[in-house]
Amino acid sequence: MIKTVQKIEKAHRDSLPQIKTGIYEIIDSLIRDRVPILKTLEIITKLYDRMSGRIIALSISELREKGLQQPCEFAFYHMGSSGRGEQFMLTDQDHFLVYESQSEEAGVFFEELGKRITSNMEGAGYARCKGLMMCSEEKWRGSLSVWEERLRTWMLQSTNDNLLLAQNFFSYRFIAGSEGLHAKFEAMAQEQMKRSRIFLYRLAQLEREHPIPTLDQPLRSLFKLQRKSMDMKKEVLFPYHHSLQILSLMHGKLSGTPLEKIDFLQERQVFSKEFAHDLRGSVSTILTLYVTQRWQQEKSGAAPSSVVSFTRMSTREKEELILSLKTLKELQSQAMARFSL
C-alpha cells in the first residue's frame, strides 16, 4: 500500500501505467483476505482519488510548460462508479470540470486541460467513455454560469436522454481543485433543485420501469426457479443507486457516496436506524457477489459480465440474496411512494 502511494505521488506521464498494477495487487490481496467489501472499496477509492489528483497536477504542469497559465479556480469531479466510490477496476472515464468565470482565456485553458486530463487518464489505464462523458468534451466542462444553464435545461426539458445524463451527473463527487468553488457549485445546484419538483417526479417515473426483482420463494424452491441468474448491475445496483439518489435529492443532498447518502437520510429520519443498518448490510451482500465475480473474471481473462448464476451460489449466499433484494425493494418503494407512483 505504502509503495503504491509513493508511486502515485512521484508518478510522471510515462510511469502512470505502473500504478494500475500496484493497485490491482492490493485489490487481489484484500479480496483474498476477505476484507469486508465496503472497507475494500473505501481503500481502493482513496488510491484512485490520489491517482486522479496526481494526473490533474501533471496535466496543469504540462500546460504551464507550453506557456499556458491557469486563469481562474476550477473544480474536478468524478461521476459513475468512481463518483459512488465503487470503482474497483479501471473501467471507463466519467468526469466533468467546473471553472470559476467565463472568458476567452479560461475557455482556451480549460479546453486544453480537459483534453490533457482525459489523455493522461487513458495513459494510466482508464478507457475513454463511449458516451463521451469526460471533461475533454465541451458539454462536460464549463464555467459556473454555463453549468447553471445546463442544469436548468435538464430540469425543464426532462426528456429521457436528459434524465439519463442527470442520473449519471448526480453520482458526482468532488475530487480536486478549489473547495470554495465546489461550495459555490453545490449552492447553485441546490438552488436549481428547489425549483424542480417535476424533474424529480420524472426521475421517479423512469425508475418505476425498472423494479428490483425479488426471490420470495422458500430456499428449497430456488433450484426450481424459472430464472437461473440475475444481472446485478442492471437489475439491482442501478435501481438501488437511482432510488437512493431520488430520496437524497428530495432532502437536499446532491453529492457523495451511497453510504454517505444513507447516513444523511438516517440523520434526517427519512430512514429508521434499523432500516439504514439493513440497507448497508444488503448493499454489502450485493457488492460482495458482484465484485468477487468480476475480479475472478478479470484474473482469468474471461469476458466481463455482471450476471450472477444462482446455481453457483451456496445456500447461505442465496438466503442473504433473498433478504437483501427485499430490503432494496423496500428502498425503491419508499422513493416511489413520495410521488404516489
Side-chain angles (χ1 to χ4, degrees), residues 5-191:
V5 169
Q6 288 172 341
K7 274 184 187 176
I8 292 170
E9 298 301 329
K10 296 175 182 176
H12 48 82
R13 186 165 187 166
D14 293 338
S15 67
L16 284 172
Q18 297 167 18
I19 297 172
K20 174 181 173 180
T21 306
I23 294 177
Y24 274 30
E25 284 173 1
I26 293 168
I27 297 171
D28 194 49
S29 175
L30 293 170
I31 291 176
R32 197 171 58 245
D33 293 344
R34 302 195 177 190
V35 174
I37 196 65
L38 298 180
K39 177 54 68 176
T40 293
L41 291 172
E42 182 188 330
I43 292 166
I44 299 305
T45 294
K46 285 177 181 174
L47 289 172
Y48 283 142
D49 286 356
R50 274 180 179 266
M51 184 164 77
S52 295
R54 181 60 183 160
I55 285 170
I56 291 161
L58 280 172
S59 300
I60 292 171
S61 177
E62 287 167 9
L63 292 184
R64 202 177 290 129
E65 287 171 12
K66 293 179 75 176
L68 287 171
Q69 296 299 321
Q70 183 181 323
C72 60
E73 298 286 5
F74 74 93
F76 177 84
Y77 299 85
H78 274 317
M79 302 181 286
S81 60
S82 180
R84 292 188 294 267
E86 293 176 356
Q87 186 171 56
F88 59 98
M89 293 194 302
L90 288 185
T91 50
D92 58 348
Q93 300 183 41
D94 236 337
H95 46 74
F96 68 91
L97 192 64
V98 181
Y99 49 91
E100 201 164 18
S101 51
Q102 186 65 45
S103 69
E104 187 176 343
E105 185 188 9
V108 169
F109 179 86
F110 289 108
E111 179 182 356
E112 286 302 313
L113 181 61
K115 289 176 180 175
R116 194 61 61 112
I117 288 170
T118 300
S119 173
N120 283 334
M121 283 200 158
E122 187 177 23
Y126 285 95
R128 287 179 181 251
C129 174
K130 291 177 183 175
L132 300 179
M133 295 182 186
M134 305 171 291
C135 64
S136 54
E137 304 300 313
E138 189 176 358
K139 63 182 179 180
W140 291 103
R141 67 173 185 272
S143 66
L144 209 51
S145 57
V146 165
W147 274 105
E148 185 173 15
E149 186 56 38
R150 197 170 282 154
L151 292 184
R152 187 182 293 123
T153 300
W154 288 350
M155 290 170 188
L156 290 176
Q157 301 171 16
S158 297
T159 62
N160 279 6
D161 284 347
N162 280 346
L163 289 172
L164 291 172
L165 291 176
Q167 278 180 335
N168 198 48
F169 170 80
F170 281 113
S171 63
Y172 75 85
R173 191 167 54 85
F174 175 66
I175 299 295
S178 164
E179 293 273 2
L181 180 58
H182 168 57
K184 288 180 186 175
F185 177 70
E186 288 246 286
M188 175 275 290
Q190 289 270 18
E191 199 56 40

Side-chain angles (χ1 to χ4, degrees), residues 155 158 160 163 167 193 195-209 246-247 249-250 335-341:
M155 290 170 188
S158 297
N160 279 6
L163 289 172
Q167 278 180 335
M193 287 305 305
R195 311 189 196 109
S196 57
R197 178 79 182 176
I198 190 68
F199 167 72
L200 288 173
Y201 179 77
R202 286 284 291 118
L203 280 177
Q205 271 189 322
L206 190 66
E207 210 42 49
R208 186 180 58 174
E209 297 168 15
I246 290 166
L247 286 170
L249 290 172
M250 279 186 71
M336 299 301 103
R338 306 281 166 150
F339 300 92
S340 304
L341 290 173

